Amino acid sequence: MHFTGYISTIILSTFTGWVTTWIAIKMLFHPRKPVKIFGLTIQGIFPKNQRQIAEKLGQVVGKELLSFEEIEQKVTNPDNLQKLRPDIEAHVDNFLRNRLKEIFPMLAMFIGDKTIGQLKDAFLIELENLFPVLMKNYMNKLQHDLDLEKIVTEKVANFSSEKLEDILNQITKKEFKFLELIGGIFGFLIGLIQVLMAIVLK
């Protein structure tokens, strides 16, 4: 084997390694529809298993990523009420000073700043006690009415093959390019080994 033969072997092996990996990556998504070749039915891995992938993803989101128990803990946390307290206090103050007097004009004669302050404090204390109970009841009802696992499963299962491929490409584009590079490197190494063996055995 001459020098040009050695170089050709390495180049061909590198190209083979790269193109083989490229084809393998493409076959994750293509063909989108089942195709029969020599009696064998061929379809891309993701389109073929889209429903199963959607179900698994729905299970992960519904049970691990968006646990209703964790959401409930966050929502019913008293710190959340404290963050809203200034807005609530301003709303209650406006109601007692203006709206209540519009609804019950005669009440204006009996309600002064001191009484308004006392009523406002009483409302806020009651709200602090009521807020966790209300939010817990709301979350229980929401969990009963909202099936996150089913929603995610149906959404992913109904994606078009093009949309699913686009989403996964956005996430893994760099990784796919890296795999193609690795395929080319392995092909180069295999070609180099073949050349070295040919030289040694010559």
Side-chain angles (χ1 to χ4, degrees):
M1 187 182 289
H2 297 292
F3 178 75
T4 53
Y6 295 148
I7 296 299
S8 297
T9 298
I10 293 174
I11 292 175
L12 181 60
S13 183
T14 301
F15 176 76
T16 301
W18 171 79
V19 79
T20 302
T21 306
W22 180 81
I23 291 172
I25 291 171
K26 288 299 178 183
M27 287 186 70
L28 292 173
F29 309 101
H30 301 273
R32 295 192 175 107
K33 301 293 183 183
V35 175
K36 282 192 176 292
I37 300 178
F38 302 118
L40 295 174
T41 301
I42 298 175
Q43 186 179 7
I45 293 173
F46 283 111
K48 183 179 180 179
N49 299 286
Q50 186 167 342
R51 184 71 195 185
Q52 292 91 319
I53 293 170
E55 289 173 356
K56 290 296 182 183
L57 186 59
Q59 290 172 8
V60 171
V61 172
K63 296 178 181 177
E64 303 293 336
L65 299 182
L66 288 176
S67 167
F68 266 100
E69 287 76 11
E70 293 179 1
I71 297 173
E72 182 181 316
Q73 290 176 5
K74 295 287 186 182
V75 171
T76 57
N77 191 321
D79 292 341
N80 292 324
L81 180 60
Q82 293 305 316
K83 293 175 184 176
L84 296 172
R85 187 183 176 97
D87 293 331
I88 295 172
E89 190 170 350
H91 185 80
V92 171
D93 189 76
N94 178 65
F95 176 79
L96 292 173
R97 293 182 184 279
N98 302 306
R99 290 289 299 148
L100 190 60
K101 292 178 181 180
E102 292 174 6
I103 298 170
F104 302 106
M106 294 294 293
L107 212 57
M109 296 185 297
F110 304 101
I111 295 183
D113 287 340
K114 183 178 179 181
T115 304
I116 289 174
Q118 292 173 337
L119 287 172
K120 184 167 62 175
D121 290 341
F123 283 148
L124 290 172
I125 291 172
E126 186 62 25
L127 183 60
E128 286 180 1
N129 296 327
L130 188 60
F131 178 76
V133 177
L134 285 175
M135 294 310 297
K136 187 176 181 64
N137 290 339
Y138 173 73
M139 288 303 300
N140 288 336
K141 187 176 186 306
L142 187 63
Q143 184 175 6
H144 181 267
D145 296 340
L146 190 64
D147 189 339
L148 289 176
E149 182 177 332
K150 183 178 179 182
I151 291 172
V152 174
T153 298
E154 292 302 322
K155 283 282 187 182
V156 176
N158 290 325
F159 280 160
S160 66
S161 297
E162 293 84 354
K163 185 175 181 64
L164 184 62
E165 180 179 357
D166 183 56
I167 292 171
L168 292 173
N169 271 326
Q170 288 177 26
I171 298 170
T172 58
K173 186 175 182 179
K174 290 182 179 179
E175 285 73 15
F176 285 160
K177 290 295 182 184
F178 179 72
L179 288 175
E180 291 176 24
L181 177 62
I182 291 296
I185 291 172
F186 274 117
F188 171 81
L189 292 174
I190 291 170
L192 187 61
I193 291 170
Q194 287 178 329
V195 168
L196 291 174
M197 288 181 66
I199 293 173
V200 171
L201 297 175
K202 187 174 179 181

